[in-house]
Amino acid sequence: MASPQPTEPRLYIGLMSGTSLDGIDGVLFDAASLAVTGHVHNPFPPALRDELLALNGPGDNELHRAALAANAVACGCADVVAQLLEATGTRREQVAALGAHGQTVRHQPDGPSGYTVQLLNGALLAEQAGIDVVCDLRSRDVAAGGQGAPLVPAFHRAVFGSAGRDVAALNLGGIANLSLLFADGRTGGFDCGPANCLMDGWIARHQGRAFDADGAWAASGRVSPALLATLLAEPFFMQPPPKSTGRDLFHLGWLQSRLTPGLAPQDVQATLLELTARSAAEALRAQMPGAAALIACGGGARNGRLMQRLADLLPGVAVSSSAAHGLPVDQVEAAAFAWLAMCFVERRPGNLPAVTGAAGPRVLGALYPA
Ligand SMILES: Nc1ncnc2c1ncn2[C@@H]1O[C@H](COP(=O)(O)OP(=O)(O)O)[C@@H](O)[C@H]1O
Ligand SMILES: [Mg+2]
């Protein structure tokens, strides 16, 4: 009897830079085995980070500045691709396509004039990388009446779904999004609120640090029940899915307008961490009351304090990191965009209408051939 032939690898690269604006994660991904075989993370140069942050709001000459930033993001992506190929000994001809998210600077998907903007010069990336680029992965879902987000639940289903029990995946990036992988095969998902974007902004303002490592500064403060209640009164938290959000809503001005004088900065940080944990836990309890497990990914899964609060608030739910399921926390989202590029190449829909609210399944993305 012939021994089974090993499956040929089908290589894709996924490039992700999320709302945290911490930089670009790139992975080499084998769509045949659903395995990541290489990972590179390059932080954004501080000036580019500042400019991308500024472009989240209206400003002077923003079309020109957005075009320059889109070029810079493309160059940053091309650097990550070159490093990935070098580190893994891969030739670019072996890679079927790049799935490149780009940098979200506006996300206003609702209504007939809804739109979402991810800055990335796909033509420049194709030119520099010499590999087919699939980008602008959210707009088609928005055009079909969807939120354009989250797009990762289908991938989470493929890698974390488990027969016989309800499992949720929680991505703790700048924004938090939940994927609901029901035992009966249904998949749900939605953005549930801020994860790190407010905590990052607050600690940057008060301590000049990019993020609160392990939630240590938050742990030095005390949660303000009054502020927590005020923040949780934001209508977004009560809105039923489908829903998505971004820095358009959750920015420091949103927090500032809800602060009362006299709160110590570390108490505000403690309250922001609690807000992330509470909003995610309550959303999970409301939408998947029978959840047996919660698998966390994204940089916030490195925040021990946040992970502990999630576990405290979700008795009976096994809270773990995606690393325990074979995918390190900072590789999951980039792998999802490699997987979405594979969907595009195979002309398979990448969205789940039940998640995004789109009128139907759609092939997502635009192609810039190598
Ligand atoms: N050790 C850590 N402790 C606490 N937070 C962390 C740690 N490492 C990363 N983070 C948080 O994770 C964020 C990056 O997460 P990431 O998943 O890349 O988000 P995004 O998808 O929005 O870019 C950082 O901005 C920071 O807030
Ligand atoms: Mg990131």
Side-chain angles (χ1 to χ4, degrees):
M1 208 165 76
S3 58
Q5 293 296 307
T7 320
E8 279 292 304
R10 289 186 289 138
L11 297 181
Y12 290 83
I13 285 176
L15 296 159
M16 182 66 200
S17 51
T19 15
S20 293
L21 284 164
D22 58 321
I24 302 170
D25 283 294
V27 297
L28 183 66
F29 179 75
D30 179 2
S33 61
L34 299 181
V36 171
T37 54
H39 174 225
V40 169
H41 171 83
N42 284 348
F44 281 131
L48 177 58
R49 184 183 197 275
D50 290 347
E51 180 66 341
L52 290 169
L53 195 55
L55 285 165
N56 275 267
D60 189 39
N61 201 13
E62 61 189 47
L63 279 177
H64 173 69
R65 288 167 44 217
L68 294 185
N71 287 351
V73 171
C75 293
C77 285
D79 287 345
V80 168
V81 170
Q83 289 169 33
L84 263 178
L85 296 179
E86 167 84 27
T88 57
T90 307
R91 285 174 293 108
R92 62 187 184 195
E93 300 77 29
Q94 293 174 277
V95 180
L98 312 176
H101 179 267
Q103 186 63 51
T104 299
V105 288
R106 304 294 161 90
H107 183 67
Q108 299 184 16
D110 293 311
S113 51
Y115 69 94
T116 182
V117 179
Q118 285 75 46
L119 294 184
L120 173 74
N121 185 338
L124 185 58
L125 178 54
E127 191 65 29
Q128 294 197 356
I131 300 172
D132 283 4
V133 172
V134 180
C135 58
D136 192 18
L137 286 138
R138 299 191 188 274
S139 289
R140 183 63 190 271
D141 185 83
V142 173
Q147 292 287 303
L151 296 180
V152 291
F155 176 71
H156 287 165
R157 160 66 71 187
V159 291
F160 300 135
S162 92
R165 58 187 201 144
D166 289 350
V167 173
L170 175 63
N171 175 44
L172 296 162
I175 297 295
N177 53 278
L178 265 171
S179 297
L180 307 175
L181 316 171
F182 290 97
D184 63 10
R186 281 177 305 127
T187 301
F190 55 95
D191 287 354
C192 55
N196 297 302
C197 61
L198 298 174
M199 287 192 281
D200 286 355
W202 190 250
I203 197 169
R205 176 179 292 183
H206 287 274
Q207 305 225 319
R209 286 190 278 156
F211 63 90
D212 186 7
D214 212 24
W217 191 46
S220 75
R222 294 209 333 238
V223 173
S224 157
L227 177 59
L228 182 62
T230 304
L231 300 181
L232 282 169
E234 165 60 47
F236 178 82
F237 295 119
M238 270 71 87
Q239 205 179 302
K243 59 177 177 175
S244 61
T245 189
R247 286 184 183 270
D248 307 66
L249 174 60
F250 293 112
H251 52 83
L252 276 189
W254 176 87
L255 171 65
Q256 198 69 50
S257 66
R258 286 159 177 78
L259 288 179
T260 45
L263 276 175
Q266 66 272 24
D267 292 350
V268 174
Q269 188 76 353
T271 309
L272 290 174
L273 185 147
E274 190 67 12
L275 174 70
T276 296
R278 278 280 293 275
S279 53
E282 280 170 21
L284 179 62
R285 272 203 300 260
Q287 301 297 328
M288 186 186 251
L294 179 69
I295 300 170
C297 61
R302 294 191 192 283
N303 184 327
R305 176 87 181 166
L306 178 58
M307 291 293 283
Q308 185 57 52
R309 287 304 298 144
L310 283 165
D312 294 345
L313 292 166
L314 292 166
V317 179
V319 177
S320 62
S321 148
S322 64
H325 304 263
L327 265 182
V329 298
D330 39 12
Q331 299 181 10
V332 179
E333 297 298 286
F337 281 84
W339 189 86
L340 286 166
M342 181 269 295
C343 291
F344 176 93
V345 167
E346 298 183 1
R347 295 299 187 272
R348 283 162 42 191
N351 65 339
L352 294 174
V355 170
T356 64
R362 296 289 186 270
V363 175
L364 305 179
L367 174 68
Y368 289 87

